[in-house]
Amino acid sequence: MTSRIAHTVVVLALCLSIGAHWVVLQSVAWGTMIARYAQQTCLTQAVAQTFDGDHPCNLCKRISAAQRSEKKNDAQSVTFKPDLICATRRITLLPRSADFLFARVEMTASQLAHSPPTPPPRSELI
């Protein structure tokens, strides 16, 4: 039971951190606007009025104001912090690699002509 509550808390915290609460609030505002405008006009015109941007409701205005103030706070809180742990870096160059010399194998044509010995027959596998 506690793990279910912990998972729910983590999911809610992640949703708040990515701004999902604004999406939910804006969806509620749009739904309310469509329902209100549909009482006065047809549904297509109500949807058009909702999303044209010329007829925002009070909730839409408050949501956009809150989002703007949140963005201003985020922009002001960004400060430069120098990384003192990795302030100096050392560059080391590796020495040039030397060519590897393979041992020479001298074989005559008579040694190359012989085929390798054949293995004995395996009667167990046949």
Side-chain angles (χ1 to χ4, degrees):
M1 182 67 178
T2 57
S3 66
R4 185 178 201 124
I5 294 171
H7 284 130
T8 304
V9 169
V10 168
V11 168
L12 288 175
L14 287 173
C15 288
L16 286 174
S17 69
I18 63 172
H21 58 290
W22 297 122
V23 174
V24 171
L25 282 173
Q26 190 65 57
S27 299
V28 168
W30 285 333
T32 307
M33 289 170 62
I34 289 173
R36 188 170 5 126
Y37 293 147
Q39 292 174 352
Q40 300 166 358
T41 63
C42 66
L43 183 62
T44 56
Q45 190 174 1
V47 172
Q49 283 180 346
T50 300
F51 296 111
D52 66 359
D54 295 333
H55 307 90
C57 66
N58 291 333
L59 184 57
C60 290
K61 291 176 186 176
R62 283 187 273 161
I63 290 170
S64 64
Q67 284 177 333
R68 280 194 299 271
S69 68
E70 189 176 89
K71 287 181 183 176
K72 285 180 186 177
N73 291 341
D74 289 344
Q76 291 173 357
S77 67
V78 175
T79 57
F80 176 72
K81 294 181 183 180
D83 188 10
L84 300 177
I85 294 173
C86 298
T88 59
R89 295 181 187 234
R90 182 181 275 174
I91 298 174
T92 57
L93 300 176
L94 299 175
R96 281 189 69 175
S97 62
D99 291 335
F100 184 76
L101 300 175
F102 290 95
R104 289 188 171 260
V105 177
E106 297 289 331
M107 297 187 91
T108 60
S110 63
Q111 291 174 333
L112 293 175
H114 295 286
S115 63
T118 58
R122 297 184 182 156
S123 60
E124 303 93 39
L125 298 177
I126 300 176

